[in-house]
Amino acid sequence: MIRSPLMTVMTDAVMKASRSLKRDFGEVENLQVSRKGPGDFVSAADRKAEKILRESLEKSRPGYGFVMEEEGVIQGTDTSHRWHIDPLDGTTNFLHGLPQFAISVGLERDGQIVAGVIYDPAKDELFIAERGKGAYLNNRRIRVAARSDLADAVVACGLPHIGKGDHGLFLRETAAVMGYVGGMRRWGAAALDLAYVACGRFDAYWERGLNSWDMAAGILMVREAGGFVSDADGGSDPIAKGSIACGNEIMQRELLKLLKKAKG
Ligand code: IPD
Ligand code: CA
Ligand code: CA
Ligand code: CA
């Protein structure tokens, strides 16, 4: 598989940042950690990786804007392009020594996500997608799972931090879903949840309370792998709504029906 110049720029930046994350993962006990809110941590590892990503992408594509989890929004001189960056998706896992975390970088061009990279340093898994060119895991084409029966499906979900989002709704939704599916998982890294739907490991996934940096790359990944993506209420713009529901065409439709039932 030949990588486009854009994909080379993105993967080079991500691999560079991943070396910093890997070093810090080996020394988690020495990292400076602070809280954004109850149960919502940020560490020096998040900030270092974000700085590397920003500097590297800025050098290769000067003028593009940024939407970053830690540093926030930086307007670019090129107003048609901006990067959506999550330097460490799954900070809680990372800080607990759980090897389920990733870097996620998506590129928006004129309001559309056109390229995405999600990299899992602990497993050395690189997920990439470009609009119209398919999705790949370590250079092999990936597709969403073909299962059509919820009872065979593994469905992933995510729950909001303490004090954020509606935990009651989360409980009603999980209660509605668990009675019909083969298995449920809550692994704590939204970008990887999406990448796993794209490569068929998870059959479906939903979550509320997400941001553009969590989802931009993953949404493209799922769509380019043949999947269907909406917000958690079935609307067409997950990033605007901050929620997501996805899977193959049947799984996504069935999941949305259960979520609707839970909402009443
Ligand atoms: C979090 C993870 C988690 C999801 C949270 C996100 P972070 O991202 O993706 O799975 O449930 O909503 O905030 O803060 O670790 O980058
Ligand atoms: Ca965070
Ligand atoms: Ca995240
Ligand atoms: Ca993060």
Side-chain angles (χ1 to χ4, degrees), residues 69 86 88-90 213-214:
E69 178 174 10
D86 191 337
L88 171 46
D89 183 51
W213 52 79
D214 300 303

Side-chain angles (χ1 to χ4, degrees), residues 76-170:
T77 48
D78 175 344
T79 50
S80 53
H81 289 94
R82 54 183 191 163
W83 304 106
H84 295 265
I85 296 182
D86 191 337
L88 171 46
D89 183 51
T91 300
T92 303
N93 284 345
F94 186 91
L95 294 176
H96 282 72
L98 294 163
Q100 184 73 3
F101 56 89
I103 295 170
S104 178
V105 176
L107 176 64
E108 179 186 340
R109 178 184 298 142
D110 298 324
Q112 273 187 341
I113 305 300
V114 293
V117 172
I118 297 169
Y119 182 59
D120 172 344
K123 303 179 201 68
D124 190 25
E125 290 193 326
L126 178 68
F127 298 85
I128 64 173
E130 273 187 274
R131 199 173 147 81
K133 295 187 187 172
Y136 295 81
L137 162 54
N138 290 351
N139 294 328
R140 295 185 65 171
R141 187 86 190 248
I142 51 174
R143 293 194 182 282
V144 292
R147 290 179 201 91
S148 55
D149 189 344
L150 274 181
D152 298 331
V154 171
V155 177
C157 60
L159 73 160
H161 288 300
I162 303 165
K164 283 191 190 155
D166 184 341
H167 283 147
L169 176 59
F170 174 77

